[in-house]
Amino acid sequence: MFLMTIWGFFYGLELASNSLDQMINLIYLEYIGISFIPASWIVFSLIYTGYKKWLRPLILIPVFLIPVTTFLMVLTNGHHHLHYSSVGISNSGPFPLLELEVGPWYLVHTFYSYIAFLLGTLILWGRFKNADPLYQTQSIFLIASGLFPVIFNLLYQTGVIKPFSEIDLTPFAFLFTYIILGFAIIRYQLFSLKPVAQNRIMESLTVGVLVFDGNEKLIDFNPATKQFHLDPGKIKIGVAASSLFYDNEAIYNIIRNVEEKIILINTVKDGQELNLRVKSIPMLDKTSGFYGVIILLDDQTDQLKVNKQLRQQANDLIQLNELKDKFFSIISHDLKGPIFGVKELIHMTQSNIISKEEFYTMLPEVSKNMEQVAILLENLLAWASSQLRGEHIQIQNFNIVTLLTQQQKLLDRIAREKRIEIILESEEIIEILADRNMIDLVLRNLINNAVKFSSAGGKIKLTAKRLSKEVKVCIKDSGVGISNENLKKIREGISFTTRGLNNESGTGLGLVLVREYVKKNNGKLEVDSILGEGTTFCLYLPLSN
């Protein structure tokens, strides 16, 4: 542009001159611009496109060889007339004009100039034809700015447009160059990386960005925005916020309010739940006040799920820690007490502190306590196994009625001491698909609990019924029942302790294992209870094929 200005400025002075000597001297100055414009276009193209490594002496010397030669040819034209074969003044126009006859070197320079412009243009377009759209637009404006002078020069050289047979309009065509470049600098921030960087950032953001002006018209958005909107086709430049969010008043309201705000929106898109975090950032000017708002849309669905899972895990850890503390208390009290009692009883008998008759009198009570200790110990070992190394679940086919019969016989003696009858009602064979040892422990805990909380003379009914794809096993007692508070704890897997009607100890561990083992065997546990009438536990276990 500097070289263009030199050419245009001194050409204007040439047109205003009257003497041949003045005109020739001004031509010398004009050719500072004319000679070097083609070479500067190539150098600019290499710099602008980032090909600076090509700006080496081996490249620059051939590029500037003809321009330097041209300038020297013009300065010494009077001695050889290779650039201009003749120079004179024409008075055929409204004012004196320099009349020139071109020489062979003039043609060489003209041909070089067109080749240089074409080469620079190819460098520009080849670099940016697949680049960011903004860079493409900038490149088009650059090429157009150089194209106008070339076209006018071509028309001058061919004589199509040549006022008064001598006036060259090429320097005046530079005005179009300045206008085009000026517009590109203002509108597209030509020569600045800032708009391209902004576009890249907007495109790379996973957060949706919407920019509204003071009239609530959309003036910019990024591609990520479309994945959050129920109708992506509506997101277009110029659309009104009221049209874009007519079905979501909450978002529209924060666009209208001139304050920074964050809201959470729950919606459904493509059949999936979508939890959006919507933030409004008003754009305020100290002089004119509010002039727009930026809306950020962020999908919080996965984050909310993770947070929920973390909260659940935290609650599980708290419960597990409480259960662990409780079990240490059980080991130190409920397990140690009966064993130390037996030890002291044997010691007292051996030391003749009590007689054999007194020993035999105490033996039934000791036996009953040891049976509870055996069940407690089995539960503790099962729980420790699951927590420390995890169970190795062995799914197999077996007859659930056989397990019910075994547990009925095993606990029948304890039940008879309380005058409780255990009744089994079922078919002879019902095969299920589960881990036999786990289900055995589940049934033993449930039947033992039924015995503990049943009154003397009560009945416990065991039933097994074949359904379409599963087996329903129920243990029903006529005991004291379970409160609503404790029913809720059972369903949520929270441990609690209640003593039996004959003051039998309880740990709360049994029902925790029951719930866990049923779940691990692809089953389901249901419990119904009425205070003062009794409780029914039902297991739903997979039926064998």
Side-chain angles (χ1 to χ4, degrees), residues 215-276:
N215 297 318
E216 299 178 6
K217 300 289 185 183
L218 184 65
I219 58 173
D220 199 7
F221 64 92
N222 69 332
T225 303
K226 296 195 173 185
Q227 66 181 321
F228 300 122
H229 200 275
L230 298 180
D231 188 1
K234 280 192 170 184
I235 303 177
K236 296 177 181 177
I237 298 297
V239 68
S242 56
S243 173
L244 201 57
F245 296 109
Y246 74 93
D247 58 344
N248 202 316
E249 191 175 348
I251 298 180
Y252 181 53
N253 285 337
I254 69 169
I255 295 174
R256 299 175 64 186
N257 295 332
V258 188
E259 60 180 2
E260 188 168 321
K261 194 172 183 180
I262 296 175
I263 61 172
L264 294 176
I265 300 292
N266 184 270
T267 185
V268 176
K269 184 180 180 184
D270 300 331
Q272 294 185 344
E273 184 181 8
L274 192 65
N275 295 284
L276 286 182

Side-chain angles (χ1 to χ4, degrees), residues 226-507:
K226 296 195 173 185
Q227 66 181 321
F228 300 122
H229 200 275
L230 298 180
D231 188 1
K234 280 192 170 184
I235 303 177
K236 296 177 181 177
I237 298 297
V239 68
S242 56
S243 173
L244 201 57
F245 296 109
Y246 74 93
D247 58 344
N248 202 316
E249 191 175 348
I251 298 180
Y252 181 53
N253 285 337
I254 69 169
I255 295 174
R256 299 175 64 186
N257 295 332
V258 188
E259 60 180 2
E260 188 168 321
K261 194 172 183 180
I262 296 175
I263 61 172
L264 294 176
I265 300 292
N266 184 270
T267 185
V268 176
K269 184 180 180 184
D270 300 331
Q272 294 185 344
E273 184 181 8
L274 192 65
N275 295 284
L276 286 182
R277 179 179 179 270
V278 185
K279 181 177 182 180
S280 64
I281 305 173
M283 295 182 286
L284 302 173
D285 189 280
K286 290 183 179 179
T287 56
S288 59
F290 175 76
Y291 64 91
V293 62
I294 300 171
I295 299 295
L296 304 179
L297 304 172
D298 189 12
D299 186 3
Q300 297 285 299
T301 307
D302 292 338
Q303 186 62 46
L304 289 175
K305 287 180 180 177
V306 170
N307 291 343
K308 183 178 179 181
Q309 186 177 4
L310 288 174
R311 285 194 298 270
Q312 182 62 45
Q313 289 175 348
N315 290 333
D316 290 344
L317 286 173
I318 291 171
Q319 290 183 20
L320 191 61
N321 195 50
E322 290 175 352
L323 200 57
K324 178 201 68 176
D325 294 341
K326 192 173 194 178
F327 293 160
F328 280 121
S329 173
I330 292 167
I331 292 169
S332 65
H333 182 268
D334 291 352
L335 196 59
K336 185 176 72 174
I339 292 174
F340 273 55
V342 172
K343 177 191 169 198
E344 285 300 312
L345 182 61
I346 295 171
H347 172 70
M348 290 165 67
T349 304
Q350 289 177 337
S351 303
N352 295 321
I353 296 174
I354 62 171
S355 63
K356 288 184 179 180
E357 290 77 12
E358 289 174 318
F359 175 79
Y360 285 123
T361 303
M362 297 177 184
L363 203 54
E365 186 66 26
V366 172
S367 176
K368 184 171 67 175
N369 287 339
M370 293 308 295
E371 285 173 351
Q372 293 298 328
V373 168
I375 293 174
L376 169 60
L377 188 58
E378 185 179 21
N379 285 340
L380 281 171
L381 290 173
W383 179 82
S385 174
S386 67
Q387 298 303 320
L388 296 178
R389 58 180 177 80
E391 300 92 350
H392 178 61
I393 302 175
Q394 293 182 325
I395 302 296
Q396 57 184 316
N397 295 325
F398 62 90
N399 185 6
I400 186 67
V401 181
T402 302
L403 286 190
L404 285 168
T405 304
Q406 289 173 355
Q407 293 304 323
Q408 179 192 27
K409 292 178 179 178
L410 179 65
L411 297 167
D412 191 54
R413 186 183 59 79
I414 300 174
R416 283 202 310 272
E417 290 179 0
K418 293 182 66 173
R419 291 183 291 114
I420 296 170
E421 184 181 3
I422 302 177
I423 304 167
L424 174 59
E425 295 179 357
S426 173
E427 303 174 29
E428 290 185 0
I429 299 176
I430 301 179
E431 296 259 334
I432 68 168
L433 198 62
D435 185 293
R436 185 186 183 100
N437 293 328
M438 286 186 175
I439 301 305
D440 192 34
L441 185 139
V442 166
L443 294 176
R444 183 157 54 257
N445 273 288
L446 291 178
I447 298 171
N448 184 59
N449 276 352
V451 173
K452 280 171 57 178
F453 295 102
S454 291
S455 305
K459 291 184 179 180
I460 298 172
K461 184 185 286 188
L462 313 179
T463 59
K465 185 178 180 181
R466 192 196 310 267
L467 303 179
S468 59
K469 293 184 180 179
E470 56 192 358
V471 175
K472 181 180 180 182
V473 180
C474 293
I475 295 94
K476 181 178 181 182
D477 64 52
S478 54
V480 295
I482 304 173
S483 66
N484 289 331
E485 181 183 354
N486 286 341
L487 277 175
K488 184 180 179 182
K489 289 180 180 178
I490 292 172
R491 289 172 182 138
E492 293 178 358
I494 299 173
S495 171
F496 64 94
T497 303
T498 308
R499 285 195 168 269
L501 294 183
N502 287 357
N503 205 33
E504 298 99 331
S505 63
T507 64

Side-chain angles (χ1 to χ4, degrees), residues 24-55:
I24 291 174
N25 289 331
L26 288 169
I27 280 182
Y28 296 156
L29 297 173
E30 288 173 41
Y31 263 86
I32 295 174
I34 294 172
S35 301
F36 295 100
I37 283 175
S40 69
W41 174 252
I42 293 177
V43 172
F44 162 76
S45 299
L46 291 172
I47 292 173
Y48 186 70
T49 54
Y51 294 133
K52 293 182 181 180
K53 64 181 181 180
W54 292 97
L55 299 177

